[in-house]
Amino acid sequence: MSPRLDDSRTHDAASACPQGPTNSDSPAAGRLPGPRRAPAPPAPTATSASHTDAGADVEAEIETAFAGEGLEGLPEIPSYAQVGAMDARALSKTLFERLETLEEGTYDHAYVRNTLVELNLALVKFAASRFRSRSEPMEDIVQVGTIGLIKAIDRFELNRGVEFPTFAMPTIVGEIKRFFRDTSWSVRVPRRLQELRLDLAKAGDELSQKLDRSPTAGELAERLGITKDEVVEGMAASNAYTASSLDAKPEEDDTEGSLSDRIGYEDRSLAGIEYIESLKPLIASLPERDRTILSLRFVANMTQSEIGEELGISQMHVSRLLSRTLVKLRRGLTLDE
């Protein structure tokens, strides 16, 4: 926060004493730019005499830090809550002129830059209000918008002849939109599909008003100049924007169970999945005739007599081959266990 936000900077004595703060002024008042003099150090007393030498260096450093020549001549800025839009523009222009003359990394540069940020926070709040219907807390949106404001301040140039609010607003809104694009999707999808979703939504609304019905994928593709497959891909990607909990119950009908109760079921075949996976290599190692007999018996549900007729052997022979094969498979499962 800029030192200008301190409540003590509006000290009555400071405003009534144009030549500068008196000894009764707060230290924050001595930091204000303008033709003010740094407060004189207090006269040493009996209780402070022992600390005079140790405190002299500290006071000298403070006076040097806040006596920045780059802040001389700047106008007095009232409380930020009391600054109107037109006054904020005029003050910002003056501060930007001074900022261009200051060296980056110095105290004076940081002071003027921070003052510009706090002086234009109203732009961030105005831009953030456009997104108040989103699920994100407004405080988070304002913080992200403030990052955009700082970027706009660092890139702004007075010689372009553009008002700062006009220049900063697209940067602030873009930073907020980027935040939603990167964090609000339940499943991360490529940026191309995120932008395609917005284009499809806009084109769908326009065509719905024009046709008085929902547009088809072909009509959307023709409107956007893309292929039908790309439209289908964009519609599928839209499903990744939000996700519903399996335990959530529908708001319109509380009598229905959760989504997991309505779409879930017990898969009884899961109990034998381990045996199925273990049998696959054992069956693959069997001779071709044995595999054929197993397939005809347990897949085609043929009787041993029908299998014998199919293979040209007797029913008794089929029974012996089938029994031998089952014993071999059962022994293989037992060894694996």
Side-chain angles (χ1 to χ4, degrees):
M1 298 289 284
S2 169
R4 299 176 185 272
L5 283 182
D6 296 340
D7 293 335
S8 57
R9 67 183 181 80
T10 57
H11 197 281
D12 294 336
S15 60
C17 187
Q19 75 275 11
T22 63
N23 293 340
S24 62
D25 286 331
S26 65
R31 304 175 203 166
L32 288 175
R36 291 177 178 267
R37 295 189 297 271
T45 62
T47 56
S48 62
S50 59
H51 301 287
T52 302
D53 295 338
D57 295 338
V58 176
E59 291 180 1
E61 292 178 2
I62 294 175
E63 291 179 7
T64 302
F66 292 110
E69 297 178 356
L71 303 180
E72 294 294 333
L74 287 178
E76 183 74 16
I77 300 179
S79 174
Y80 293 104
Q82 301 174 2
V83 178
M86 298 305 298
D87 293 337
R89 289 194 180 194
L91 289 171
S92 296
K93 185 175 181 181
T94 302
L95 291 172
F96 274 118
E97 292 174 351
R98 182 60 56 89
L99 189 66
E100 291 180 350
T101 65
L102 299 176
E103 181 181 355
E104 186 174 356
T106 61
Y107 165 79
D108 296 343
H109 184 277
Y111 185 80
V112 174
R113 181 172 178 261
N114 291 345
T115 304
L116 280 168
V117 171
E118 297 181 39
L119 193 62
N120 291 277
L121 278 178
L123 295 176
V124 176
K125 295 178 181 178
F126 175 77
S129 64
R130 298 170 51 182
F131 302 91
R132 66 173 64 255
S133 60
R134 300 296 185 95
S135 58
E136 296 293 333
M138 182 56 63
E139 292 80 2
D140 293 349
I141 301 176
V142 171
Q143 287 184 6
V144 174
T146 304
I147 296 176
L149 174 62
I150 295 173
K151 292 180 179 179
I153 291 174
D154 292 339
R155 295 200 296 256
F156 182 67
E157 297 178 4
L158 274 175
N159 54 15
R160 293 187 177 183
V162 180
E163 292 288 343
F164 177 69
T166 305
F167 174 83
M169 191 57 68
T171 305
I172 297 172
V173 174
E175 193 71 24
I176 295 175
K177 287 183 177 180
R178 187 178 300 110
F179 166 74
F180 283 116
R181 185 189 68 213
D182 295 339
T183 62
S184 60
W185 284 72
S186 299
V187 179
R188 189 75 171 91
V189 299
R191 181 176 179 179
R192 173 182 65 85
L193 294 179
Q194 295 181 12
E195 295 175 349
L196 179 58
R197 169 183 171 271
L198 298 177
D199 294 338
L200 287 173
K202 183 178 179 180
D205 292 340
E206 294 174 352
L207 289 175
S208 296
Q209 294 179 358
K210 181 180 179 181
L211 303 174
D212 198 21
R213 59 174 174 82
S214 298
T216 63
E219 291 170 340
L220 288 171
E222 183 179 357
R223 179 62 176 265
L224 297 177
I226 57 179
T227 64
K228 187 176 179 179
D229 292 339
E230 289 177 321
V231 172
V232 174
E233 184 182 16
M235 290 179 173
S238 300
N239 296 328
Y241 186 74
T242 57
S244 299
S245 173
L246 291 177
D247 296 327
K249 294 184 178 180
E251 298 180 358
E252 62 277 5
D253 190 358
D254 295 336
T255 60
E256 293 188 16
S258 63
L259 187 61
S260 59
D261 295 333
R262 287 180 281 130
I263 66 173
Y265 64 93
E266 183 179 356
D267 189 353
R268 300 185 183 278
S269 61
L270 288 176
I273 190 66
E274 182 179 354
Y275 294 110
I276 293 175
E277 293 300 319
S278 300
L279 279 173
K280 285 182 178 180
L282 296 177
I283 294 175
S285 63
L286 293 174
E288 182 179 357
R289 187 174 65 173
D290 292 346
R291 293 200 304 271
T292 302
I293 293 175
L294 284 176
S295 177
L296 294 176
R297 179 69 183 91
F298 296 103
V299 178
N301 291 322
M302 296 175 62
T303 63
Q304 294 182 3
S305 300
E306 293 173 339
I307 295 174
E309 294 177 1
E310 179 76 18
L311 299 179
I313 56 179
S314 66
Q315 181 268 337
M316 186 64 67
H317 194 185
V318 171
S319 178
R320 287 197 298 267
L321 291 175
L322 186 59
S323 299
R324 185 184 64 185
T325 302
L326 293 177
V327 170
K328 185 176 181 180
L329 293 177
R330 191 176 294 109
R331 186 183 301 114
L333 288 177
T334 304
L335 293 176
D336 290 342
E337 293 177 357

